[in-house]
Amino acid sequence: MDSVIEWLREARGEITAGLVLALLGWLYSKYRAFMKMYRLKKKELERMESEMFKFGNTKKEIERLQEALKESEAQRQDVQSQLEATRQELQSKDEALRETEAQRQGVQSQLEATQQELQRRDEALREAEAKSQEASRRIEAQQQDAKQEEAKKKNPPMSDWEFIALCRSGDAR
């Protein structure tokens, strides 16, 4: 699941570009279909005008067709303005996406730097702990040496003659 999310994050630009292209393609196809219909109606109007002049049709029919032509032109302009608004919106969203990506990369680099700093501090802490343990061992060894020296001072070592004399006297137990 995380790999899919990561893949989607990495492909965010391509997905956005694909969606933009799909939307532009859809709008373009709608625009072309509208223009085709517009041209057909315009040709029909021209044909009917020529027929009306030929056969003496009324001026009302011409006016109706002209109104339809104006309406079609207004619709064409609406579609064109919607297309332009969509383009601008997509450009602003693309720019916002770029800014967000740049911010994400900045945060990523800060995170990596922080992780490296934590690793460095952790290593320093381990070294300090090892030095502290070594110092504790030295102190403990020195304390034991001091205790042994103190014990030797309380009971100084006997010379061989003193030991033999003590053994003869029978006081040694």
Side-chain angles (χ1 to χ4, degrees):
M1 182 69 173
D2 288 339
S3 65
V4 172
I5 292 172
E6 186 63 32
W7 177 81
L8 286 174
R9 282 185 183 152
E10 290 176 1
R12 186 178 349 179
E14 289 81 3
I15 291 171
T16 303
L19 291 174
V20 166
L21 288 175
L23 180 59
L24 289 175
W26 178 78
L27 285 173
Y28 184 70
S29 69
K30 290 293 182 184
Y31 176 75
R32 282 184 54 112
F34 178 77
M35 286 303 293
K36 185 176 181 180
M37 184 61 106
Y38 172 76
R39 287 184 193 113
L40 286 174
K41 287 195 180 230
K42 190 173 180 180
K43 284 182 182 179
E44 181 183 343
L45 175 65
E46 290 171 356
R47 185 185 55 79
M48 290 186 90
E49 280 179 344
S50 68
E51 284 180 10
M52 283 195 282
F53 286 121
K54 285 181 185 176
F55 300 111
N57 285 337
T58 64
K59 190 175 183 178
K60 288 183 180 179
E61 185 65 23
I62 293 173
E63 290 174 359
R64 184 189 69 76
L65 291 174
Q66 286 176 340
E67 279 298 315
L69 180 63
K70 287 179 185 177
E71 190 176 306
S72 295
E73 179 66 24
Q75 288 177 351
R76 185 189 68 78
Q77 289 177 353
D78 285 346
V79 168
Q80 196 167 11
S81 65
Q82 287 176 354
L83 178 63
E84 186 60 34
T86 304
R87 281 182 188 162
Q88 290 175 355
E89 182 180 341
L90 288 173
Q91 286 175 349
S92 66
K93 286 183 179 180
D94 191 38
E95 185 62 33
L97 180 63
R98 284 189 202 114
E99 289 175 9
T100 303
E101 184 63 25
Q103 289 174 352
R104 186 193 66 78
Q105 289 176 353
V107 169
Q108 183 77 22
S109 64
Q110 287 177 349
L111 177 63
E112 289 172 0
T114 303
Q115 286 175 340
Q116 289 175 353
E117 179 66 21
L118 285 174
Q119 288 175 350
R120 186 187 60 76
R121 287 183 181 182
D122 190 35
E123 185 63 32
L125 181 63
R126 283 192 205 118
E127 288 176 10
E129 193 174 299
K131 288 178 182 178
S132 174
Q133 289 177 353
E134 180 63 30
S136 294
R137 279 188 246 131
R138 286 183 193 159
I139 290 171
E140 190 176 307
Q142 287 177 354
Q143 287 175 346
Q144 287 178 355
D145 288 345
K147 284 180 184 178
Q148 288 175 357
E149 286 294 320
E150 187 67 31
K152 284 182 182 179
K153 287 180 183 178
K154 287 183 182 177
N155 296 326
M158 294 184 207
S159 67
D160 291 340
W161 296 110
E162 291 174 333
F163 179 70
I164 293 172
L166 182 63
C167 288
R168 286 186 187 164
S169 68
D171 288 336
R173 292 184 185 180

